[in-house]
Amino acid sequence: METERHTVTLDQDHPGFRDPQYRARRDEVAQLAQQYRSGAPIPVVAYTEAEHAVWQAIWQQLRPAHQQFACRQYLDAFDRMGFTLDRIPQMQEVTTRLTALTGFRMEPVHGLVTSRDFLATMAQGIFLSTQYIRHPATPLYTPEPDWNHEATGHAVGLGIPDIAELSRLFGQAARQARNDLEITELGRMFWFTIEFGVVREDGLVKAYGAGLLSSFGELQQINRTGGVNAKRGHGALLVPLDMDAIRRQAYDVTQYQPILFCADSFAEMTTTIREYLTAWIAARRP
């Protein structure tokens, strides 16, 4: 029986909304993901020279920014992942390297999935990922997670054992969530840590969050030398890492994040999140 073709829906303000060629390409890549079954070989996307050019344009800006803003653990994991900056890597080769490092693997999806499904799947050591590349008109911006965000931010991050452990805990917590409100709160915790978390390192603010590390613009918002609770002006407002505060903090995916939760060290961040999620899970077990 023929598989129903998936059509990607784009918002009117999406840079590719009025580009029929881009929309057709998104549908083509989405179809590959729709046909995928968990555990099977990941489908190959035949990236075009134009898509490789977008990847190159991103990295011309992003690599120097990483040297300035990325935490030490991320830079070490990036080297171990062995990315090429001139050609888009296939998801299968990225997941093979990732699995060897921490046991995590990536699996393709056609686009955004529900917060519950996204988080819960990580309990199994699986990260659901898109494979498409952002529109060429805006190489330094994407309104939704594309393959550069997934590979650059999440795959490298999941190559850090502590981040892989915390991601599994987020998955376990999502499986224990009792209602949609708790999923929303877990989503906020994931957003302000694994996506947009920062730590202090040698007196400077450094990023470990995937949303920051895959966006040149977001990295430029980091107030690297401002103190905790520094006045907003140049970059994001830095506030202490507080999981209860994060649970109540809403966010807007369409703009640079105005608030970043900062831990005093990578080790402190890891311990704080681990202990909080472990207690969350224990409190909800039968």
Side-chain angles (χ1 to χ4, degrees):
M1 184 174 68
E2 184 178 354
T3 302
E4 182 182 356
R5 184 170 181 81
H6 188 88
T7 301
V8 174
T9 301
L10 302 180
D11 292 334
Q12 291 190 9
D13 59 352
H14 191 285
F17 180 75
R18 293 177 176 82
D19 184 338
Q21 184 175 358
Y22 181 77
R23 296 180 69 117
R25 177 59 167 165
R26 287 287 300 272
D27 289 345
E28 179 184 349
V29 176
Q31 183 73 2
L32 292 174
Q34 188 182 35
Q35 295 171 347
Y36 176 77
R37 295 295 176 265
S38 182
I42 296 174
V44 172
V45 177
Y47 293 110
T48 66
E49 288 305 314
E51 288 168 332
H52 286 300
V54 172
W55 181 269
Q56 294 162 13
I58 294 169
W59 279 106
Q60 286 176 1
Q61 299 292 331
L62 204 52
R63 190 55 177 154
H66 281 175
Q67 299 302 320
Q68 184 178 9
F69 293 109
C71 70
R72 187 177 299 113
Q73 290 80 0
Y74 176 89
L75 294 175
D76 290 345
F78 184 90
D79 290 341
R80 290 193 296 269
M81 289 293 289
F83 273 15
T84 57
L85 306 188
D86 59 339
R87 309 293 289 179
I88 303 169
Q90 292 292 328
M91 186 182 291
Q92 184 62 65
E93 63 181 280
V94 172
T95 201
T96 296
R97 293 171 186 163
L98 175 58
T99 301
L101 290 175
T102 63
F104 248 89
R105 72 180 191 269
M106 310 189 86
E107 292 193 349
V109 291
H110 69 267
L112 294 175
V113 297
T114 67
S115 294
R116 184 181 291 272
D117 288 344
F118 171 73
L119 293 170
T121 305
M122 289 190 291
Q124 304 169 260
I126 298 171
F127 187 89
L128 300 179
S129 171
T130 61
Q131 288 178 287
Y132 70 88
I133 297 297
R134 65 192 64 176
H135 193 272
T138 56
L140 300 183
Y141 167 76
T142 176
E144 55 192 333
D146 73 334
W147 177 226
N148 183 276
H149 167 76
E150 312 281 36
T152 301
H154 287 295
V156 177
L158 288 168
I160 304 170
D162 286 329
I163 298 297
E165 177 197 4
L166 295 179
S167 297
R168 288 180 184 271
L169 283 174
F170 270 111
Q172 294 169 25
R175 291 188 168 194
Q176 297 292 333
R178 296 172 293 200
N179 50 51
D180 289 343
L181 175 59
E182 291 192 345
I183 289 293
T184 296
E185 292 178 341
L186 283 170
R188 290 170 179 169
M189 287 188 274
F190 187 87
W191 181 264
F192 286 109
T193 58
I194 305 302
E195 287 282 7
F196 284 91
V198 292
V199 297
R200 294 193 179 276
E201 180 183 290
D202 299 328
L204 298 175
V205 177
K206 300 283 187 173
Y208 69 89
L212 290 168
L213 290 163
S214 60
S215 170
F216 173 77
E218 290 279 8
L219 284 175
Q220 296 301 307
Q221 296 299 303
I222 294 179
N223 186 344
R224 298 177 68 242
T225 57
V228 173
N229 288 323
K231 290 183 179 180
R232 183 80 196 283
H234 301 288
L237 174 67
L238 299 175
V239 298
L241 178 62
D242 181 331
M243 301 302 287
D244 283 325
I246 289 176
R247 285 174 60 182
R248 299 186 295 270
Q249 181 65 53
Y251 58 87
D252 184 349
V253 301
T254 66
Q255 64 176 2
Y256 291 148
Q257 297 307 301
I259 296 174
L260 298 177
F261 288 84
C262 183
D264 285 338
S265 68
F266 191 90
E268 181 195 70
M269 174 276 294
T270 301
T271 299
T272 298
I273 301 172
R274 180 194 299 117
E275 291 180 351
Y276 195 93
L277 291 177
T278 299
W280 169 291
I281 294 166
R284 287 156 180 78
R285 282 182 176 145

PDB file of all heavy atoms in Angstrom, residues 23 28 66 68 89 104 127 133 138 144 159 188 190 194 218 250 253 268 272:
ATOM      1  N   ARG A  23       9.570  24.566  -0.095  1.00  0.00           N
ATOM      2  CA  ARG A  23       8.474  23.799   0.489  1.00  0.00           C
ATOM      3  C   ARG A  23       8.447  22.375  -0.067  1.00  0.00           C
ATOM      4  O   ARG A  23       8.211  21.407   0.684  1.00  0.00           O
ATOM      5  CB  ARG A  23       7.141  24.505   0.239  1.00  0.00           C
ATOM      6  CG  ARG A  23       7.026  25.858   0.920  1.00  0.00           C
ATOM      7  CD  ARG A  23       5.683  26.501   0.624  1.00  0.00           C
ATOM      8  NE  ARG A  23       4.625  25.771   1.292  1.00  0.00           N
ATOM      9  CZ  ARG A  23       3.840  26.282   2.240  1.00  0.00           C
ATOM     10  NH1 ARG A  23       4.026  27.534   2.635  1.00  0.00           N
ATOM     11  NH2 ARG A  23       2.893  25.575   2.794  1.00  0.00           N
ATOM     12  N   GLU A  28       9.817  16.574   0.747  1.00  0.00           N
ATOM     13  CA  GLU A  28      10.625  15.419   0.336  1.00  0.00           C
ATOM     14  C   GLU A  28      11.393  14.833   1.515  1.00  0.00           C
ATOM     15  O   GLU A  28      11.408  13.609   1.722  1.00  0.00           O
ATOM     16  CB  GLU A  28      11.595  15.857  -0.766  1.00  0.00           C
ATOM     17  CG  GLU A  28      12.510  14.765  -1.272  1.00  0.00           C
ATOM     18  CD  GLU A  28      13.511  15.296  -2.291  1.00  0.00           C
ATOM     19  OE1 GLU A  28      13.348  16.452  -2.751  1.00  0.00           O
ATOM     20  OE2 GLU A  28      14.464  14.565  -2.623  1.00  0.00           O
ATOM     21  N   HIS A  66      32.053  29.636  18.893  1.00  0.00           N
ATOM     22  CA  HIS A  66      32.250  28.535  19.832  1.00  0.00           C
ATOM     23  C   HIS A  66      33.540  28.710  20.627  1.00  0.00           C
ATOM     24  O   HIS A  66      33.578  28.438  21.835  1.00  0.00           O
ATOM     25  CB  HIS A  66      32.295  27.197  19.082  1.00  0.00           C
ATOM     26  CG  HIS A  66      30.941  26.689  18.709  1.00  0.00           C
ATOM     27  ND1 HIS A  66      30.763  25.562  17.952  1.00  0.00           N
ATOM     28  CD2 HIS A  66      29.693  27.145  18.985  1.00  0.00           C
ATOM     29  CE1 HIS A  66      29.470  25.345  17.778  1.00  0.00           C
ATOM     30  NE2 HIS A  66      28.808  26.297  18.393  1.00  0.00           N
ATOM     31  N   GLN A  68      34.852  31.291  21.560  1.00  0.00           N
ATOM     32  CA  GLN A  68      34.680  32.365  22.531  1.00  0.00           C
ATOM     33  C   GLN A  68      33.661  32.035  23.617  1.00  0.00           C
ATOM     34  O   GLN A  68      33.853  32.380  24.790  1.00  0.00           O
ATOM     35  CB  GLN A  68      34.247  33.644  21.808  1.00  0.00           C
ATOM     36  CG  GLN A  68      34.125  34.861  22.699  1.00  0.00           C
ATOM     37  CD  GLN A  68      33.746  36.110  21.921  1.00  0.00           C
ATOM     38  OE1 GLN A  68      33.408  36.044  20.738  1.00  0.00           O
ATOM     39  NE2 GLN A  68      33.788  37.250  22.584  1.00  0.00           N
ATOM     40  N   PRO A  89      26.937  16.424   7.392  1.00  0.00           N
ATOM     41  CA  PRO A  89      27.057  15.003   7.710  1.00  0.00           C
ATOM     42  C   PRO A  89      25.688  14.318   7.690  1.00  0.00           C
ATOM     43  O   PRO A  89      24.671  14.932   7.993  1.00  0.00           O
ATOM     44  CB  PRO A  89      27.647  15.006   9.117  1.00  0.00           C
ATOM     45  CG  PRO A  89      27.128  16.277   9.721  1.00  0.00           C
ATOM     46  CD  PRO A  89      27.055  17.278   8.591  1.00  0.00           C
ATOM     47  N   PHE A 104      23.716   7.121  23.301  1.00  0.00           N
ATOM     48  CA  PHE A 104      22.556   7.778  22.694  1.00  0.00           C
ATOM     49  C   PHE A 104      22.545   7.558  21.190  1.00  0.00           C
ATOM     50  O   PHE A 104      23.601   7.369  20.571  1.00  0.00           O
ATOM     51  CB  PHE A 104      22.571   9.283  22.972  1.00  0.00           C
ATOM     52  CG  PHE A 104      21.470   9.734  23.899  1.00  0.00           C
ATOM     53  CD1 PHE A 104      21.660   9.742  25.274  1.00  0.00           C
ATOM     54  CD2 PHE A 104      20.250  10.150  23.394  1.00  0.00           C
ATOM     55  CE1 PHE A 104      20.652  10.163  26.128  1.00  0.00           C
ATOM     56  CE2 PHE A 104      19.230  10.575  24.236  1.00  0.00           C
ATOM     57  CZ  PHE A 104      19.429  10.577  25.615  1.00  0.00           C
ATOM     58  N   PHE A 127      17.130  10.344  20.652  1.00  0.00           N
ATOM     59  CA  PHE A 127      16.828  11.747  20.453  1.00  0.00           C
ATOM     60  C   PHE A 127      16.162  11.905  19.095  1.00  0.00           C
ATOM     61  O   PHE A 127      16.737  11.559  18.061  1.00  0.00           O
ATOM     62  CB  PHE A 127      18.099  12.596  20.508  1.00  0.00           C
ATOM     63  CG  PHE A 127      17.823  14.077  20.479  1.00  0.00           C
ATOM     64  CD1 PHE A 127      17.606  14.771  21.663  1.00  0.00           C
ATOM     65  CD2 PHE A 127      17.751  14.761  19.278  1.00  0.00           C
ATOM     66  CE1 PHE A 127      17.333  16.132  21.646  1.00  0.00           C
ATOM     67  CE2 PHE A 127      17.475  16.119  19.254  1.00  0.00           C
ATOM     68  CZ  PHE A 127      17.262  16.803  20.435  1.00  0.00           C
ATOM     69  N   ILE A 133      17.400  21.258   6.168  1.00  0.00           N
ATOM     70  CA  ILE A 133      18.273  22.411   6.357  1.00  0.00           C
ATOM     71  C   ILE A 133      17.441  23.688   6.225  1.00  0.00           C
ATOM     72  O   ILE A 133      16.542  23.778   5.392  1.00  0.00           O
ATOM     73  CB  ILE A 133      19.416  22.410   5.324  1.00  0.00           C
ATOM     74  CG1 ILE A 133      20.292  21.172   5.514  1.00  0.00           C
ATOM     75  CG2 ILE A 133      20.271  23.679   5.428  1.00  0.00           C
ATOM     76  CD1 ILE A 133      20.994  21.081   6.849  1.00  0.00           C
ATOM     77  N   THR A 138      18.147  32.906   5.214  1.00  0.00           N
ATOM     78  CA  THR A 138      18.465  33.232   6.607  1.00  0.00           C
ATOM     79  C   THR A 138      19.368  32.142   7.200  1.00  0.00           C
ATOM     80  O   THR A 138      18.940  31.408   8.096  1.00  0.00           O
ATOM     81  CB  THR A 138      17.183  33.359   7.444  1.00  0.00           C
ATOM     82  OG1 THR A 138      16.420  32.139   7.317  1.00  0.00           O
ATOM     83  CG2 THR A 138      16.337  34.535   6.963  1.00  0.00           C
ATOM     84  N   GLU A 144      12.628  27.134  13.647  1.00  0.00           N
ATOM     85  CA  GLU A 144      12.331  25.767  14.098  1.00  0.00           C
ATOM     86  C   GLU A 144      13.624  24.967  14.050  1.00  0.00           C
ATOM     87  O   GLU A 144      14.577  25.356  13.381  1.00  0.00           O
ATOM     88  CB  GLU A 144      11.268  25.151  13.174  1.00  0.00           C
ATOM     89  CG  GLU A 144      11.697  25.196  11.728  1.00  0.00           C
ATOM     90  CD  GLU A 144      10.580  24.874  10.752  1.00  0.00           C
ATOM     91  OE1 GLU A 144       9.663  24.146  11.132  1.00  0.00           O
ATOM     92  OE2 GLU A 144      10.660  25.338   9.614  1.00  0.00           O
ATOM     93  N   GLY A 159      27.006  13.968  23.332  1.00  0.00           N
ATOM     94  CA  GLY A 159      28.307  13.298  23.404  1.00  0.00           C
ATOM     95  C   GLY A 159      29.028  13.580  24.709  1.00  0.00           C
ATOM     96  O   GLY A 159      30.079  12.986  24.971  1.00  0.00           O
ATOM     97  N   ARG A 188       9.889  23.489  30.271  1.00  0.00           N
ATOM     98  CA  ARG A 188      10.582  24.715  30.653  1.00  0.00           C
ATOM     99  C   ARG A 188      11.945  24.398  31.250  1.00  0.00           C
ATOM    100  O   ARG A 188      12.935  25.093  30.963  1.00  0.00           O
ATOM    101  CB  ARG A 188       9.734  25.496  31.660  1.00  0.00           C
ATOM    102  CG  ARG A 188       8.470  26.110  31.073  1.00  0.00           C
ATOM    103  CD  ARG A 188       7.571  26.659  32.163  1.00  0.00           C
ATOM    104  NE  ARG A 188       6.369  27.280  31.610  1.00  0.00           N
ATOM    105  CZ  ARG A 188       5.326  27.651  32.325  1.00  0.00           C
ATOM    106  NH1 ARG A 188       5.328  27.457  33.646  1.00  0.00           N
ATOM    107  NH2 ARG A 188       4.268  28.207  31.744  1.00  0.00           N
ATOM    108  N   PHE A 190      13.806  21.795  30.620  1.00  0.00           N
ATOM    109  CA  PHE A 190      14.664  21.362  29.527  1.00  0.00           C
ATOM    110  C   PHE A 190      15.118  22.575  28.711  1.00  0.00           C
ATOM    111  O   PHE A 190      16.288  22.685  28.328  1.00  0.00           O
ATOM    112  CB  PHE A 190      13.920  20.370  28.642  1.00  0.00           C
ATOM    113  CG  PHE A 190      14.768  19.738  27.566  1.00  0.00           C
ATOM    114  CD1 PHE A 190      15.503  18.595  27.836  1.00  0.00           C
ATOM    115  CD2 PHE A 190      14.832  20.284  26.296  1.00  0.00           C
ATOM    116  CE1 PHE A 190      16.287  18.005  26.854  1.00  0.00           C
ATOM    117  CE2 PHE A 190      15.609  19.713  25.302  1.00  0.00           C
ATOM    118  CZ  PHE A 190      16.345  18.562  25.581  1.00  0.00           C
ATOM    119  N   ILE A 194      19.145  22.325  29.067  1.00  0.00           N
ATOM    120  CA  ILE A 194      19.734  21.608  27.942  1.00  0.00           C
ATOM    121  C   ILE A 194      19.694  22.434  26.656  1.00  0.00           C
ATOM    122  O   ILE A 194      20.585  22.332  25.806  1.00  0.00           O
ATOM    123  CB  ILE A 194      19.032  20.254  27.719  1.00  0.00           C
ATOM    124  CG1 ILE A 194      19.055  19.416  28.999  1.00  0.00           C
ATOM    125  CG2 ILE A 194      19.698  19.481  26.579  1.00  0.00           C
ATOM    126  CD1 ILE A 194      20.444  19.139  29.540  1.00  0.00           C
ATOM    127  N   GLU A 218      22.230  33.991  19.079  1.00  0.00           N
ATOM    128  CA  GLU A 218      21.970  33.739  20.499  1.00  0.00           C
ATOM    129  C   GLU A 218      23.265  33.815  21.306  1.00  0.00           C
ATOM    130  O   GLU A 218      23.279  34.342  22.423  1.00  0.00           O
ATOM    131  CB  GLU A 218      21.326  32.356  20.688  1.00  0.00           C
ATOM    132  CG  GLU A 218      19.898  32.257  20.184  1.00  0.00           C
ATOM    133  CD  GLU A 218      18.870  32.820  21.159  1.00  0.00           C
ATOM    134  OE1 GLU A 218      19.263  33.426  22.174  1.00  0.00           O
ATOM    135  OE2 GLU A 218      17.674  32.657  20.884  1.00  0.00           O
ATOM    136  N   ALA A 250       7.970  31.193  31.709  1.00  0.00           N
ATOM    137  CA  ALA A 250       7.546  30.980  30.323  1.00  0.00           C
ATOM    138  C   ALA A 250       8.637  31.471  29.373  1.00  0.00           C
ATOM    139  O   ALA A 250       9.523  32.241  29.762  1.00  0.00           O
ATOM    140  CB  ALA A 250       6.235  31.713  30.057  1.00  0.00           C
ATOM    141  N   VAL A 253       9.715  31.206  21.721  1.00  0.00           N
ATOM    142  CA  VAL A 253      10.668  30.599  20.791  1.00  0.00           C
ATOM    143  C   VAL A 253      10.978  31.504  19.611  1.00  0.00           C
ATOM    144  O   VAL A 253      11.881  31.203  18.823  1.00  0.00           O
ATOM    145  CB  VAL A 253      10.146  29.242  20.269  1.00  0.00           C
ATOM    146  CG1 VAL A 253       9.902  28.283  21.413  1.00  0.00           C
ATOM    147  CG2 VAL A 253       8.866  29.430  19.437  1.00  0.00           C
ATOM    148  N   GLU A 268      28.376  22.013  39.128  1.00  0.00           N
ATOM    149  CA  GLU A 268      27.224  22.431  39.930  1.00  0.00           C
ATOM    150  C   GLU A 268      25.935  22.284  39.137  1.00  0.00           C
ATOM    151  O   GLU A 268      24.917  21.831  39.663  1.00  0.00           O
ATOM    152  CB  GLU A 268      27.382  23.873  40.384  1.00  0.00           C
ATOM    153  CG  GLU A 268      26.224  24.349  41.251  1.00  0.00           C
ATOM    154  CD  GLU A 268      26.182  25.864  41.409  1.00  0.00           C
ATOM    155  OE1 GLU A 268      25.880  26.553  40.422  1.00  0.00           O
ATOM    156  OE2 GLU A 268      26.437  26.325  42.526  1.00  0.00           O
ATOM    157  N   THR A 272      22.883  19.914  40.344  1.00  0.00           N
ATOM    158  CA  THR A 272      21.595  20.550  40.642  1.00  0.00           C
ATOM    159  C   THR A 272      20.466  19.914  39.841  1.00  0.00           C
ATOM    160  O   THR A 272      19.407  19.571  40.394  1.00  0.00           O
ATOM    161  CB  THR A 272      21.661  22.061  40.340  1.00  0.00           C
ATOM    162  OG1 THR A 272      22.653  22.669  41.176  1.00  0.00           O
ATOM    163  CG2 THR A 272      20.311  22.716  40.579  1.00  0.00           C
TER     164      THR A 272
END
